[in-house]
Amino acid sequence: MRARRTLALLPLILFSLLSSTAAVAETLYQVEVIVFRQTTQQLPAARPAPDDWAQGALPIDPNQERTTSLNNEAGKLTPANGYLVLLHKAWAQNIGASPSSVALSTGTEQFGHFPLEGTLKLKQDRLIDLDANLWVNRFDDSGALSSSELLKYSAHLQSGELTFLDHGSLGLLVRISPL
């Protein structure tokens, strides 16, 4: 009788182990972002970007960079339409149950800061969780950081869908698709 009960529980135990293993597995995605300014009015943050803006996140490995596919969308974000693209980048990244962060930057570095710098933290549960902390910096004549605009946003994203995140004078288009 006891052996029969244990035997009956075996499929349930195996299913539980398999499903928990799948939950911690990472999946390779293509992440593509477009950061843009929506107006000519700049809204400075209360303070400039911190010196540790990358917060331990690593830059994107050049071997993981991918060809951008949101070129039509980026092409519509022109100064004639009231927009200015600040960054357009695509890369491959493993996303799983544990958060993984990448450091993004563009432009010439000045005293440890870039014209655009920040981090994207991604985690997959049922949806993909995104935490964005991006600074658009301005420098004085000596090259020192004088002020920053901060785009700070958290969102739940559907895989494969283009998502628009609006934040004051800055915007972010992001699409995360399985590879």
Side-chain angles (χ1 to χ4, degrees), residues 15-27 95-98 123-126:
F15 177 74
S16 175
L17 288 172
L18 289 174
S19 64
S20 66
T21 303
V24 296
E26 292 187 338
T27 303
I95 302 174
S98 298
K123 179 177 108 170
Q124 184 175 17
D125 196 10
R126 198 172 51 82

Side-chain angles (χ1 to χ4, degrees), residues 9-138:
L9 288 175
L10 187 59
L12 182 61
I13 293 168
L14 288 175
F15 177 74
S16 175
L17 288 172
L18 289 174
S19 64
S20 66
T21 303
V24 296
E26 292 187 338
T27 303
L28 188 62
Y29 287 90
Q30 174 160 319
V31 180
E32 185 167 358
V33 297
I34 301 172
V35 181
F36 60 96
R37 179 176 308 290
Q38 296 185 56
T39 66
T40 56
Q41 180 184 9
Q42 298 176 4
L43 303 173
R47 58 189 163 99
D51 289 336
D52 67 339
W53 60 268
Q55 304 169 358
L58 296 175
I60 297 163
D61 181 340
N63 294 326
Q64 296 300 319
E65 290 188 21
R66 298 289 188 257
T67 304
T68 57
S69 61
L70 297 175
N71 299 324
N72 287 338
E73 290 80 356
K76 296 174 185 175
L77 299 170
T78 64
N81 291 330
Y83 302 102
L84 176 64
V85 172
L86 304 173
L87 173 89
H88 185 189
K89 192 171 209 105
W91 66 94
Q93 180 176 346
N94 283 313
I95 302 174
S98 298
S100 62
S101 295
V102 294
L104 297 173
S105 63
T106 188
T108 304
E109 180 182 1
Q110 297 183 52
F111 300 110
H113 289 281
F114 295 86
L116 186 140
E117 61 192 15
T119 61
L120 290 181
K121 186 187 309 182
L122 299 166
K123 179 177 108 170
Q124 184 175 17
D125 196 10
R126 198 172 51 82
L127 299 172
I128 297 172
D129 296 331
L130 165 77
D131 287 315
N133 287 300
L134 301 167
W135 287 270
V136 178
N137 298 318
R138 285 178 293 289

Side-chain angles (χ1 to χ4, degrees), residues 156-179:
H156 303 293
L157 308 178
Q158 194 79 350
S159 177
E161 284 188 8
L162 180 60
T163 303
F164 168 62
L165 305 174
D166 180 16
H167 196 273
S169 65
L170 299 173
L172 176 70
L173 286 173
V174 61
R175 182 166 55 199
I176 303 173
S177 304
L179 285 175

